[in-house]
Amino acid sequence: MLLIVASLVVVALVGYAIHLLLKLKSQTKQQKHTLAQNLQAQNDRDVKTIDSVVLICRAMIQKQCELSEGCWRLSMLMNSLTDHIIELNDKFPAIFKLYSDISHMPILEARKALTKQQKLAFDLERMGVEQALEVDVYVDLELLLPFAESLKKQLTKQQQ
């Protein structure tokens, strides 16, 4: 009788262990699937971001976009490419420098609230920064364009 009870306990424990192992396997599979989805979504966002970087670079090179506005936008976009931010900062310092030098300036509604004199002071400061960094920014842009296109190709390959 004791042997039968012991056998039933062992069978119950083995059954419970098998249940836990199957549950763990299912959770691991779900985690891998979720991770793959998250990586794919990040990759998709990065490709769209790089498309925007390329578009802004071309507009700036063709002088369809002011240096300060373009550097502001490029800096924001490139900072969102978290896997590449250190490399981008190192390779394109003039773009980030121009943004850093003007980032304290008010924009949109905050700019509208300024007096004409305050706006003029900020405009003069911005133009001075643009003039000081113009050559270096255009050098960075000429390098950033092919770099971004190459990075997009790499990310697109990862999507497939």
Side-chain angles (χ1 to χ4, degrees):
M1 178 74 155
L2 189 57
L3 189 58
I4 293 173
V5 171
S7 296
L8 289 174
V9 169
V10 169
V11 169
L13 288 175
V14 168
Y16 185 62
I18 291 171
H19 167 73
L20 290 177
L21 285 172
L22 291 174
K23 189 174 180 180
L24 178 62
K25 185 178 178 180
S26 174
Q27 287 176 344
T28 303
K29 184 178 178 181
Q30 180 61 37
Q31 286 175 341
K32 286 181 181 178
H33 179 71
T34 302
L35 179 61
Q37 284 180 320
N38 290 343
L39 289 174
Q40 184 63 45
Q42 179 65 45
N43 193 308
D44 292 346
R45 282 190 299 274
D46 287 353
V47 168
K48 287 180 183 178
T49 298
I50 292 169
D51 283 339
S52 296
V53 166
V54 168
L55 186 68
I56 293 168
C57 279
R58 287 184 178 144
M60 290 175 71
I61 290 169
Q62 295 171 1
K63 303 202 189 270
Q64 296 172 345
C65 178
E66 289 184 18
L67 282 183
S68 55
E69 181 180 352
C71 287
W72 190 298
R73 291 174 186 269
L74 287 173
S75 295
M76 292 290 108
L77 289 168
M78 291 191 293
N79 278 326
S80 73
L81 298 169
T82 54
D83 292 345
H84 306 280
I85 189 59
I86 294 172
E87 180 181 16
L88 291 167
N89 271 294
D90 290 344
K91 287 188 176 208
F92 312 107
I95 292 170
F96 287 101
K97 172 82 170 115
L98 196 148
Y99 167 71
S100 174
D101 289 353
I102 64 167
S103 64
H104 68 282
M105 296 180 182
I107 59 171
L108 305 172
E109 295 302 317
R111 181 173 168 82
K112 289 179 184 176
L114 298 175
T115 66
K116 285 184 180 183
Q117 200 171 27
Q118 290 170 318
K119 288 178 188 176
L120 180 60
F122 280 121
D123 287 346
L124 290 173
E125 180 184 354
R126 178 183 49 79
M127 287 187 281
V129 170
E130 284 178 351
Q131 185 178 12
L133 294 171
E134 181 177 15
V135 172
D136 293 335
V137 168
Y138 280 111
V139 168
D140 278 3
L141 290 171
E142 292 293 340
L143 297 172
L144 177 56
L145 189 56
F147 177 84
E149 290 170 339
S150 171
L151 187 56
K152 180 181 175 182
K153 285 179 185 175
Q154 290 174 7
L155 292 172
T156 304
K157 283 181 184 178
Q158 290 175 6
Q159 287 177 335
Q160 298 169 350

